[in-house]
Amino acid sequence: MKGIVFTEFFEMVEQAHGYEMVDNLIMDNDLPSGGAYTTIGTYDHSEMVTLVVDLGKKTDTSVPALLHAFGKYLFGTFEKGYPMFFKAADNAFDFLESIEKYIHVEVKKLYPDAQLPSFSTKRIGDNKLEMIYYSDRSMADFALGLIEKTFDHYEEKAVIERTDLVENGSKVQFLIEKISE
Amino acid sequence: MNEIDVLKRRILRERMARKEAEAILEKKALELYKANEDLRQLNESLEQKVAQRTQELQRSEEKYRGIIEGMELGLLEVDLNHKIVRAYDWFADMTGYSPEELIGQNAKEVFTPDGKFDEVFEDEDRKRERGQAGVYEIQLRKKDGSLIWVLISGAPIVDTEGKTTGTLGIHYDITARKTLEQELAKAKVTAEQAQKAEQQFLANMSHEIRTPMNAVIGMTHLLYETSLSETQKEYIDALRFSADSLMGLINNILDLSKIEAGELDFEERSFNLGQMLKGLQRTFQFKVKDKPVSVDMAIDERISNLLIGDPTRLNQILTNLLGNASKFTQNGTIGVKAFLKEEKVDKYWIELHVHDTGIGIPEDKLELIFENFKQADIKVTRKYGGTGLGLTIVKELVEIQGGTIKAESNPNKGSVFKVVLPFGNSGIKAIEKPKVYEKNHIQLKEFLKEQYILVVEDNDMNQKLITKILDIWECTFDLAINGKEAIDFTTSHKYDLILMDIHMPEMDGVEATKAIRNSEDNINQDVPIIAMTAAALLDEKNRALAAGMNDYLTKPFSPDLLLDKIGKTVGFYPKEIVAEKVEETSALVEGPIISFNYLYEFSNGDRLFVKDMVTTFIKESPKAFEELHHAFKRKNWKIVHKRAHSLKPNFMMLGMKAQEETAAQIEKLIKREDYQEDIIFTLINELESAAEQAYPILQQKLTEL
């Protein structure tokens, strides 16, 4: 997993609970990297799982809620760091459709070792989009956070209905209906 | 204490993270350096390849450009708006510019500022738009203002997407060729003008000479009729001989000039070769009557049908050859043998041998005799006279008709001239008389006495002819002098038959017929009408039939033929084709041929009638010629046509067949709007001088009647 996810995770935790919480998470867990992350490095995915689970315990929050919040937080980082991806699309639907076809293709060029989820999209009428999430990491909540923030970015509103298509959460359907004001 | 520990750990972690990042960066920098190296090497080899290919391409382009420029062809590339994209050296040399001066200029404006070839360019542009090439010739203005002609082969320049972006023009300087062409055209015009002037001169001269000659010949004929002493008769013989020779010479010159101008027309009509040979025999027997020479004629009995061709020209050919034969033969035999060489379905190839037992021609001179003004021996001219034009004309006349001529000779034994000519086969037996219904004629004449006939005819002499014959048949008839009068007659009288002339003033026969046929209340609406057409033109006949006429009769016609036509039209005879009588020209050489046979036959030998007709001719003809000349001077072709048309039957009735044909020829030329003034003028004069020559002879004959 890319280092930026870890550094941004710690950034979010520090903002919410102070650096002491970050220190605790590192000290209380046996992390192969020793908890010293750099944005351009690559680290084992299991370290993130350990950190999120422990944070849930320490703050008495569910893992899905944490992932959802982290997704929302990370969107801001992406918005600032990669504005060209957002300019390439005029609206939220176009942007969501461009993730698989364009953004992930470009990310792969920059980080050939990056492991990314995949999406399939299908328009159902003018205002409805079906988006299916595929990933062994089962981090659909994280994706949901990103999707929700997308609509904020384009100043649009939508109702998102989530359905797990398999039990382990590796295939999740999002039915997104755009609402006009 | 705890806070300080956390901080210490944080700094430691930050340092570790920085070291890790630095290590990654260093690794990445190395990778980047390596990638750059690879890229540079790749680039270098690529550039090398591109340079190599470009060089190859340039070399090949140079090669072709070298070839084209070596062929002295100028290349120019323009875009779709004629803007010059590239000008090659040879093209620049050709036009006097440097290539740099031309780039960016509009080729059309620079080279064709007067817009003379805009239409050509438009055509070519359209072709180029369709991706087509084109070849065209235009004139270019050089830098120094002079003009050159170029042949351009233009091909579209096509980009990688297949779109036409301009034209590549290959220019070839054809100025020298063009100049030559123009000079040739000019030279041709000059030569033609010179030739025309020569022909005009010949036509004028022969006319100027012929007019007084006609008087000389005419008067000579009259002198014979006066009481003469032997000496006087001898002098007149010499006078007539000289006059005839001179006339022959003039006619030859005129014929030759006609042949050279390609203005000789040939007729297509049926004639009897046997009769022609008999006529020639009589003529030449008379010519050689003072020498121990006999004239023999022989005809292959397989030539049983009437031939189709030009009897006048054949007569001319044979007369000329026999003339030579009689001239060079002092004793023995001259004559003609006619063989059937080949017979096809509708074609006869006839071989005619004109033989003599004269002085002959040396073998080395045989080729020479057909050339202009050449005789076998210069001494011949002194001894026998002649111009050396005769055989040239004969050869031309034979060859124009698709035939051949050659001469064979043994000096002091004689010569044979072998002529092979094609003729049409009429399919009519030469001895066959027209089929007439002799047995029924008496009954038909009885029947006609009860018929009431309307004759519509404007020509004086024709009126006399037709009314004479109807008088003989004791018919009741009215005479109308034009179509208008005819209609007036038909409204007040019921007729059994109308004989209608076609060409008439006021209203012609076709119009009158239409009026009668289309008028419901005309009591004669369904009366039989027979057209009398002077011109044997098919469209005239068709016009008559289309107007509603029942039948037509071509003038001249015999009384028997008229009787048959009437019998057929009024339903007296079954509808069978009545054969038209074929008449034969007799072969006299000098002076107009005059015969009263037709008039006698027509009038059943009524001398007063013949006298009346002849007097009318002598009285009316000069007036007609005056009108003809007047109309010709004002180029009023309509009147010229009309006069010639009305003169034609007059000559016919007097048996003046040659003059009848001349009048017909004038008519024909004007009809097809072929206003060759010199020819028409010559024809009118020929006609007039023949008439003038005829007047004294006719006067003489009148006193004998």
Side-chain angles (χ1 to χ4, degrees):
Chain A
M1 183 170 269
K2 294 314 293 179
I4 191 169
V5 182
F6 290 89
T7 55
E8 285 306 306
F9 178 74
F10 280 169
E11 201 67 39
M12 183 186 74
V13 175
E14 191 181 344
Q15 271 178 29
H17 307 287
Y19 191 77
E20 267 192 41
M21 177 63 87
V22 177
D23 190 54
N24 283 338
L25 284 172
I26 295 165
M27 295 304 286
D28 296 347
N29 291 293
D30 182 21
L31 300 164
S33 65
Y37 300 108
T38 168
T39 51
I40 54 172
T42 306
Y43 308 95
D44 198 323
H45 167 253
S46 61
E47 286 189 31
M48 179 52 75
V49 176
T50 310
L51 288 168
V52 172
V53 171
D54 195 35
L55 182 65
K57 271 188 214 150
K58 286 188 163 71
T59 57
D60 197 18
T61 318
S62 72
V63 172
L66 275 175
L67 283 174
H68 184 229
F70 185 44
K72 282 181 155 181
Y73 178 83
L74 205 60
F75 187 88
T77 311
F78 290 160
E79 217 174 14
K80 263 181 255 149
Y82 310 98
M84 63 281 193
F85 290 139
F86 297 94
K87 276 186 196 132
D90 289 337
N91 55 66
F93 277 5
D94 282 355
F95 178 82
L96 292 175
E97 283 169 340
S98 78
I99 292 171
E100 179 75 14
K101 277 185 261 166
Y102 170 52
I103 299 173
H104 281 183
V105 175
E106 295 302 309
V107 172
K108 276 280 189 185
K109 281 185 205 165
L110 208 55
Y111 307 107
D113 55 348
Q115 286 170 315
L116 306 164
S118 58
F119 293 95
S120 69
T121 52
K122 191 165 96 189
R123 295 252 183 166
I124 304 162
D126 285 346
N127 295 314
K128 213 163 183 178
L129 180 77
E130 180 200 59
M131 193 169 185
I132 296 172
Y133 164 90
Y134 306 86
S135 174
D136 294 339
R137 309 263 167 85
S138 304
M139 285 168 69
D141 297 296
F142 177 75
L144 182 63
L146 286 168
I147 293 168
E148 282 171 356
K149 287 297 274 185
T150 301
F151 283 89
D152 289 348
H153 173 86
Y154 286 101
E155 295 176 340
E156 292 173 26
K157 283 207 182 326
V159 176
I160 301 165
E161 192 187 305
R162 176 192 164 152
T163 315
D164 283 12
L165 299 177
V166 291
E167 246 176 77
N168 65 8
S170 65
K171 188 178 176 189
V172 178
Q173 180 202 51
F174 297 104
L175 268 176
I176 309 164
E177 189 167 3
K178 208 158 80 181
I179 302 161
S180 45
E181 276 154 276
Chain B
M1 187 62 206
N2 190 33
E3 252 178 72
I4 291 163
D5 286 343
V6 172
L7 218 61
K8 271 185 186 163
R9 280 200 294 278
R10 183 171 187 174
I11 289 164
L12 198 70
R13 280 180 207 124
E14 294 292 348
R15 196 183 290 153
M16 275 168 66
R18 199 186 76 207
K19 270 192 184 151
E20 194 194 345
E22 278 164 0
I24 292 169
L25 269 179
E26 205 168 322
K27 203 176 127 213
K28 288 284 173 195
L30 199 69
E31 279 171 13
L32 200 64
Y33 170 77
K34 273 188 184 153
N36 256 334
E37 263 320 276
D38 289 350
L39 207 62
R40 196 177 52 77
Q41 275 174 11
L42 216 63
N43 246 337
E44 267 173 20
S45 90
L46 206 65
E47 267 169 23
Q48 244 171 12
K49 267 188 195 154
V50 169
Q52 197 187 333
R53 287 284 155 81
T54 311
Q55 218 178 8
E56 280 170 16
L57 213 65
Q58 270 172 354
R59 261 207 296 275
S60 130
E61 211 182 297
E62 284 303 314
K63 194 173 96 190
Y64 287 113
R65 189 158 33 129
I67 291 169
I68 289 174
E69 297 230 327
M71 288 163 77
E72 307 191 350
L73 297 173
L75 266 63
L76 185 72
E77 288 178 29
V78 296
D79 68 10
L80 291 174
N81 301 313
H82 300 278
K83 207 175 89 181
I84 297 171
V85 180
R86 185 163 177 195
Y88 291 74
D89 292 343
W90 193 273
F91 180 83
D93 283 355
M94 205 185 254
T95 54
Y97 290 92
S98 70
E100 295 73 33
E101 280 176 304
L102 290 173
I103 306 267
Q105 300 265 28
N106 185 305
K108 236 166 80 175
E109 284 165 14
V110 174
F111 298 116
T112 58
D114 53 2
K116 214 162 95 185
F117 297 96
D118 282 358
E119 270 179 43
V120 179
F121 287 130
E122 274 170 36
D123 275 0
E124 291 299 324
D125 285 350
R126 270 199 294 276
K127 278 191 210 162
R128 235 50 96 236
E129 276 165 29
R130 294 193 297 263
Q132 293 171 348
V135 177
Y136 53 103
E137 288 177 11
I138 60 165
Q139 221 172 4
L140 299 185
R141 186 185 296 274
K142 288 174 66 166
K143 194 180 180 183
D144 64 10
S146 62
L147 296 169
I148 54 167
W149 274 101
V150 286
L151 175 73
I152 302 176
S153 167
I157 300 171
V158 179
D159 67 9
T160 46
E161 282 162 28
K163 232 174 67 195
T164 303
T165 59
T167 294
L168 171 68
I170 303 175
H171 298 65
Y172 180 53
D173 190 336
I174 54 165
T175 311
R177 198 193 82 192
K178 276 278 176 185
T179 313
L180 196 68
E181 264 175 28
Q182 278 160 0
E183 276 167 11
L184 276 175
K186 227 193 274 170
K188 190 169 169 252
V189 170
T190 313
E192 278 170 356
Q193 278 169 350
Q195 202 190 0
K196 212 169 169 204
E198 189 189 314
Q199 283 160 18
Q200 180 76 50
F201 173 76
L202 276 174
N204 288 347
M205 275 310 289
S206 46
H207 168 248
E208 292 301 327
I209 298 167
R210 270 210 289 192
T211 309
M213 277 309 295
N214 279 330
V216 172
I217 291 169
M219 290 302 164
T220 312
H221 280 275
L222 286 184
L223 266 180
Y224 273 117
E225 310 295 329
T226 59
S227 50
L228 299 167
S229 70
E230 272 309 304
T231 324
Q232 281 172 324
K233 207 157 177 290
E234 217 171 283
Y235 292 164
I236 293 171
D237 279 343
L239 184 61
R240 204 190 72 162
F241 178 75
S242 304
D244 284 348
S245 312
L246 199 51
M247 206 59 177
L249 172 61
I250 294 159
N251 285 336
N252 276 351
I253 293 173
L254 196 68
D255 267 351
L256 204 62
S257 70
K258 271 187 197 163
I259 289 169
E260 275 171 4
E263 279 164 1
L264 220 53
D265 289 329
F266 288 88
E267 264 192 310
E268 287 266 312
R269 61 185 176 91
S270 57
F271 67 97
N272 185 333
L273 180 62
Q275 264 184 35
M276 181 188 284
L277 294 182
K278 265 181 216 152
L280 285 165
Q281 190 175 29
R282 276 198 301 276
T283 306
F284 281 92
Q285 272 166 351
F286 179 75
K287 274 206 160 177
V288 299
K289 66 181 189 299
D290 300 329
K291 295 191 275 192
V293 173
S294 63
V295 184
D296 284 358
M297 295 290 173
I299 183 164
D300 192 331
E301 56 188 21
R302 287 176 299 163
I303 309 172
S304 53
N305 288 351
L306 294 178
L307 304 181
I308 295 172
D310 192 327
T312 315
R313 296 297 177 196
L314 180 59
N315 209 322
Q316 192 180 353
I317 291 166
L318 294 176
T319 302
N320 217 307
L321 293 175
L322 281 169
N324 283 341
S326 64
K327 194 158 71 178
F328 296 115
T329 305
Q330 293 314 313
N331 54 60
T333 313
I334 65 166
V336 181
K337 285 177 187 155
F339 302 98
L340 180 61
K341 192 175 159 67
E342 208 184 331
E343 184 178 4
K344 286 188 177 158
V345 185
D346 57 346
K347 212 157 207 187
Y348 273 146
W349 282 90
I350 306 278
E351 185 161 340
L352 297 148
H353 291 185
V354 180
H355 55 87
D356 64 54
T357 53
I359 58 166
I361 307 155
E363 208 183 330
D364 59 328
K365 298 283 161 59
L366 275 175
E367 291 294 310
L368 222 61
I369 55 169
F370 292 109
E371 285 175 32
N372 282 359
F373 307 108
K374 288 271 168 70
Q375 288 184 327
D377 195 324
I378 192 76
K379 279 175 255 161
V380 168
T381 315
R382 263 177 254 144
K383 192 171 169 193
Y384 299 96
T387 54
L389 276 180
L391 283 178
T392 308
I393 293 169
V394 166
K395 187 170 191 264
E396 293 285 351
L397 288 177
V398 169
E399 285 176 355
I400 294 170
Q401 294 181 90
T404 57
I405 182 167
K406 63 177 180 186
E408 288 168 10
S409 186
N410 283 318
N412 298 319
K413 282 189 178 161
S415 313
V416 183
F417 283 79
K418 293 181 174 176
V419 177
V420 179
L421 277 172
F423 291 98
N425 180 353
S426 68
I428 301 167
K429 283 263 177 281
I431 39 144
E432 210 169 52
K433 282 264 149 64
K435 202 175 177 185
V436 285
Y437 300 86
E438 293 283 356
K439 282 180 212 156
N440 290 329
H441 275 180
I442 299 156
Q443 287 168 20
L444 180 57
K445 280 178 192 164
E446 283 304 310
F447 169 76
L448 279 178
K449 284 180 189 168
E450 291 150 28
Q451 303 292 303
Y452 190 11
I453 298 172
L454 177 64
V455 178
V456 192
E457 172 65 67
D458 68 314
N459 181 291
D460 243 15
M461 287 184 79
N462 281 332
Q463 278 173 12
K464 281 185 177 143
L465 275 175
I466 194 94
T467 55
K468 178 77 203 170
I469 199 75
L470 292 178
D471 277 338
I472 290 168
W473 293 344
E474 296 171 49
C475 284
T476 316
F477 64 88
D478 291 327
L479 177 69
I481 59 158
N482 60 45
K484 227 173 176 166
E485 235 186 74
I487 292 169
D488 289 343
F489 273 109
T490 57
T491 50
S492 48
H493 299 84
K494 173 84 182 86
Y495 293 102
D496 298 304
L497 177 72
I498 297 177
L499 299 173
M500 181 85 80
D501 185 24
I502 298 287
H503 285 280
M504 286 181 293
E506 291 281 322
M507 183 190 269
D508 70 15
V510 171
E511 289 306 310
T513 303
K514 279 187 192 159
I516 292 166
R517 292 283 188 245
N518 294 335
S519 168
E520 290 286 346
D521 45 348
N522 191 315
I523 42 171
N524 291 297
Q525 197 187 2
D526 299 319
V527 68
I529 301 176
I530 299 177
M532 300 185 290
T533 78
L537 297 172
L538 200 64
D539 64 333
E540 201 107 288
K541 291 171 183 174
N542 291 340
R543 227 157 58 86
L545 296 179
M549 301 201 191
N550 300 63
D551 209 338
Y552 57 83
L553 204 50
T554 306
K555 291 187 261 188
F557 49 80
S558 63
D560 279 352
L561 199 60
L562 176 61
L563 197 62
D564 284 337
K565 274 275 154 134
I566 292 174
K568 207 178 73 167
T569 307
V570 299
F572 197 84
Y573 288 150
K575 291 213 181 231
E576 259 178 59
I577 295 159
V578 179
E580 294 198 16
K581 199 175 169 187
V582 182
E583 295 200 7
E584 201 35 63
T585 0
S586 70
L588 274 180
V589 238
E590 62 263 337
I593 301 157
I594 296 169
S595 155
F596 294 160
N597 289 350
Y598 182 78
L599 290 175
Y600 275 119
E601 194 185 339
F602 213 103
S603 61
N604 272 1
D606 183 339
R607 292 176 63 182
L608 279 178
F609 171 73
V610 176
K611 211 167 171 171
D612 189 15
M613 294 301 282
V614 173
T615 312
T616 310
F617 178 81
I618 296 171
K619 214 178 89 196
E620 299 297 329
S621 296
K623 267 191 256 169
F625 276 111
E626 203 177 303
E627 278 179 50
L628 194 55
H629 275 297
H630 193 57
F632 176 80
K633 263 179 218 145
R634 283 175 299 138
K635 296 194 173 96
N636 189 338
W637 302 119
K638 222 173 140 184
I639 301 290
V640 174
H641 180 263
K642 221 165 145 181
R643 286 288 150 258
H645 180 80
S646 62
L647 275 168
K648 202 170 59 176
N650 300 357
F651 287 119
M652 179 275 295
M653 285 175 228
L654 294 173
M656 297 171 74
K657 236 178 150 69
Q659 286 68 39
E660 184 194 346
E661 275 162 25
T662 308
Q665 210 179 332
I666 297 174
E667 232 186 319
K668 210 159 71 189
L669 282 173
I670 293 170
K671 181 126 193 168
R672 59 168 192 245
E673 292 175 358
D674 186 3
Y675 306 127
Q676 300 188 58
E677 287 178 36
D678 48 342
I679 293 176
I680 294 171
F681 186 61
T682 309
L683 291 173
I684 291 173
N685 285 315
E686 258 178 46
L687 214 53
E688 192 181 14
S689 55
E692 279 166 0
Q693 214 176 315
Y695 299 150
I697 300 168
L698 289 171
Q699 285 289 6
Q700 176 67 30
K701 295 214 171 190
L702 275 180
T703 59
E704 288 165 8
L705 281 169

